[in-house]
Amino acid sequence: MTRRLETFLDSLTQASSLDDLQSSVVRLRDVYEVEHLVYHSVKSTGQQYAALTYDPSWVDHYVAEGFEKIDPVVQGCFQRFTPVDWKRLDWSHKSARTLLGDGITAGLGNQGFSIPIRGPAGQFALFTVNHKASDEQWASFTTEYMHELILAAHYMNERALAMEGSDEIKAGQSLSPRETDALTLLAAGMNRSQAAERLKISEHTLRVYIESARFKLGAANTTHAVANALLRGLICL
Amino acid sequence: MTRRLETFLDSLTQASSLDDLQSSVVRLRDVYEVEHLVYHSVKSTGQQYAALTYDPSWVDHYVAEGFEKIDPVVQGCFQRFTPVDWKRLDWSHKSARTLLGDGITAGLGNQGFSIPIRGPAGQFALFTVNHKASDEQWASFTTEYMHELILAAHYMNERALAMEGSDEIKAGQSLSPRETDALTLLAAGMNRSQAAERLKISEHTLRVYIESARFKLGAANTTHAVANALLRGLICL
DNA sequence: AATTCCCTCCCCAGAAATAGGGAGGGAGGT
DNA sequence: ACCTCCCTCCCTATTTCTGGGGAGGGAATT
């Protein structure tokens, strides 16, 4: 393991606040001598959890324009597991090119490399390196540092999740086997009578499981309960 | 990056079948000189995608007993982001101790270390090292190799997902912004009237979006559509 | 031995979702 | 310019789900 990564991981383990994460990111950016380094969790509910080196005015502009909804980086990483070079993404959409242009105006480099990371409760985050470079320079940079970046992304996310308190195991929120079965079948698209038939129980009984699961999950309705269970990793198709 | 990891990654990039993954895992197991090395994707639908060094009879027993439903390794990793030492898991349940006993009888070591990995469409997989060792030996092993194991897990999963064809972007399956909004609010537990009010459209219009999304996703009902959209990463709470 | 889940079954009334249909305006891309 | 997709609104009837209630047996933990 390289020294620069060790140093970063040390600074992470000592991090106890978002500001600390921010400092770590800035230092790592300087070590790699790139334009920008960004960690941010993606939530459609609005608020994001981020540590980044972008200019605040760019971030404001990005949020104000609702760019997270059309950003090919966000959308593309959302759909894949592997880290991706920005060049490989689909920039054909008009709004995407607007975003790209605005970004470069705001001081972003033309090259980018983003690593998607997923947490246990459906959390999704991006770890991104951005730089001004030629395609050749960038290819050699990403090839050389990919392993390190993946690890950096992993540990960065680990710290961020720990601060969110999301890595704690939720007590008493586990579902019983039958409740899990019920929600799983509903998530798979069955209605109650089909699911009951599959589980070889009466539809009435199935309903009790669904209600019980809904109660445990604090869900308002079946759809909410299924969504919650999926996000919390309580069921898996 | 260490040579042993490079060798493993090379063998992975050449892997084109599950058998190749299996061979890679066996070789890496020998390099690390541990009892067992396991990659397996976890699906409640039954079939799993695995490359492992366990004895087939143990795997059969595990499946036959339905151990995946009560295995603290699976359950525990499902709930967290960080790699975890088996000792830190909750083995207090009776069935968990049965599993542990059966495992050791079947030739598993007393120590284990598992890394959870999540894919873009809700896939969940485990990368596990198992060995016979004292607590001290094991602690030093995991500390020394954790970075490598995380990377190995990452690339292993990358190959497995590529073979499943899950890293390809699904064409034409994207939802329109309003459809995304609608499903997102439903996933958050709102009913149609609440969601319509939030989006400032009529409930009738909202219904059209839901139906349209259901059609695009090939979903049988709203719950199915929401579950699908969550798993495909089309919506995010 | 007592308690605390979990599994199973049942009723009913009201609320919500579903399956069909139709219609017009607007933005983007070929 | 045309075509396609998206957004918006409206109707009706049928099916399904939700929210209350109650009850008994079994397994596991304390």
Side-chain angles (χ1 to χ4, degrees):
Chain A
M1 205 48 48
T2 61
R3 201 182 314 159
R4 61 183 164 267
L5 185 58
E6 289 293 353
T7 308
F8 175 64
L9 298 186
D10 281 347
S11 77
L12 275 187
T13 52
Q14 287 161 23
S16 59
S17 72
L18 188 50
D19 285 344
D20 294 339
L21 288 186
Q22 179 78 31
S23 314
S24 299
V25 162
V26 171
R27 279 201 297 276
L28 189 62
R29 187 265 313 258
D30 293 339
V31 170
Y32 281 123
E33 295 179 326
V34 291
E35 291 289 323
H36 292 292
L37 198 63
V38 177
Y39 167 84
H40 73 126
S41 66
V42 179
K43 299 180 198 291
S44 58
T45 44
Q47 80 287 3
Q48 299 197 345
Y49 198 78
L52 40 73
T53 61
Y54 288 154
D55 192 273
S57 66
W58 165 240
V59 178
D60 291 343
H61 181 60
Y62 188 98
V63 172
E65 297 287 326
F67 278 156
E68 75 280 355
K69 288 189 179 176
I70 54 99
D71 190 339
V73 175
V74 175
Q75 302 299 325
C77 285
F78 221 17
Q79 311 256 7
R80 71 185 81 209
F81 174 74
T82 51
V84 66
D85 192 299
W86 287 7
K87 278 194 297 294
R88 287 186 49 207
L89 297 167
D90 174 23
W91 295 94
S92 64
H93 221 273
K94 194 184 175 186
S95 53
R97 284 193 298 268
T98 306
L99 164 65
L100 195 57
D102 287 7
I104 290 183
T105 306
L108 267 72
N110 57 321
Q111 302 286 355
F113 186 76
S114 291
I115 301 169
I117 330 166
R118 270 161 264 266
Q123 298 99 333
F124 176 69
L126 282 178
F127 190 73
T128 294
V129 192
N130 172 270
H131 196 46
K132 287 192 179 81
S134 70
D135 285 2
E136 293 74 30
Q137 290 171 321
W138 191 241
S140 101
F141 177 88
T142 52
T143 304
E144 183 172 0
Y145 295 122
M146 176 144 76
H147 292 338
E148 282 181 38
L149 292 173
I150 290 172
L151 283 175
H154 180 276
Y155 287 104
M156 185 86 202
N157 196 52
E158 179 177 323
R159 287 311 299 167
L161 288 180
M163 283 177 196
E164 273 188 340
S166 302
D167 203 35
E168 299 160 17
I169 289 106
K170 279 77 176 178
Q173 295 294 17
S174 64
L175 300 176
S176 78
R178 283 313 220 181
E179 288 159 357
T180 305
D181 292 341
L183 292 191
T184 302
L185 294 179
L186 292 180
M190 292 186 184
N191 60 28
R192 296 201 298 199
S193 63
Q194 291 172 321
E197 190 182 0
R198 169 72 74 90
L199 295 176
K200 292 172 183 167
I201 56 178
S202 77
E203 189 177 332
H204 302 285
T205 303
L206 184 83
R207 211 190 51 177
V208 175
Y209 296 144
I210 299 168
E211 281 176 25
S212 163
R214 221 175 36 220
F215 179 75
K216 284 183 181 175
L217 296 168
N221 52 46
T222 301
T223 300
H224 194 193
V226 168
N228 252 311
L230 276 172
L231 288 181
R232 296 190 196 183
L234 300 173
I235 62 177
C236 149
L237 298 185
Chain B
M1 205 47 50
T2 61
R3 199 182 316 159
R4 61 183 164 267
L5 185 58
E6 290 294 354
T7 309
F8 175 63
L9 297 186
D10 282 346
S11 76
L12 275 188
T13 51
Q14 288 162 20
S16 59
S17 71
L18 188 52
D19 284 344
D20 293 341
L21 289 186
Q22 179 78 31
S23 314
S24 299
V25 162
V26 171
R27 279 201 297 275
L28 189 61
R29 187 264 313 257
D30 294 339
V31 170
Y32 280 125
E33 297 180 326
V34 291
E35 290 289 324
H36 290 293
L37 199 62
V38 176
Y39 168 84
H40 74 126
S41 66
V42 179
K43 300 181 197 290
S44 57
T45 45
Q47 80 287 7
Q48 299 198 345
Y49 199 80
L52 40 73
T53 61
Y54 288 154
D55 192 273
S57 67
W58 164 240
V59 177
D60 292 342
H61 181 60
Y62 188 98
V63 172
E65 296 287 325
F67 279 155
E68 76 279 355
K69 289 189 178 175
I70 54 99
D71 190 339
V73 175
V74 175
Q75 301 299 325
C77 286
F78 222 18
Q79 312 256 5
R80 71 184 82 208
F81 174 74
T82 52
V84 65
D85 192 298
W86 287 6
K87 280 195 295 295
R88 287 186 50 207
L89 297 166
D90 174 21
W91 295 94
S92 64
H93 220 275
K94 194 184 173 186
S95 52
R97 284 192 298 268
T98 305
L99 164 64
L100 196 58
D102 287 6
I104 290 182
T105 305
L108 269 71
N110 57 321
Q111 301 286 355
F113 186 75
S114 292
I115 301 169
I117 330 165
R118 268 159 266 265
Q123 298 98 332
F124 176 69
L126 281 179
F127 190 74
T128 294
V129 192
N130 173 270
H131 196 46
K132 287 192 180 81
S134 69
D135 285 3
E136 294 74 30
Q137 290 171 321
W138 191 242
S140 101
F141 176 89
T142 53
T143 305
E144 184 172 358
Y145 296 121
M146 176 143 76
H147 293 336
E148 283 181 36
L149 292 173
I150 290 172
L151 283 175
H154 181 276
Y155 286 103
M156 184 87 202
N157 196 53
E158 180 177 322
R159 288 310 300 167
L161 288 180
M163 284 178 197
E164 274 187 342
S166 303
D167 205 34
E168 298 161 17
I169 288 105
K170 277 78 175 178
Q173 296 293 17
S174 63
L175 300 176
S176 77
R178 283 312 221 181
E179 289 159 357
T180 305
D181 291 341
L183 291 191
T184 303
L185 294 179
L186 292 180
M190 291 186 183
N191 60 29
R192 297 201 296 199
S193 66
Q194 290 172 321
E197 189 181 0
R198 169 73 74 92
L199 295 176
K200 290 171 184 165
I201 57 178
S202 78
E203 190 176 332
H204 301 285
T205 303
L206 184 84
R207 209 192 50 179
V208 175
Y209 296 145
I210 298 170
E211 282 176 25
S212 163
R214 222 178 35 218
F215 180 74
K216 284 183 181 175
L217 296 168
N221 53 45
T222 302
T223 300
H224 194 195
V226 168
N228 252 310
L230 276 171
L231 287 182
R232 297 190 195 183
L234 301 173
I235 63 177
C236 150
L237 297 186

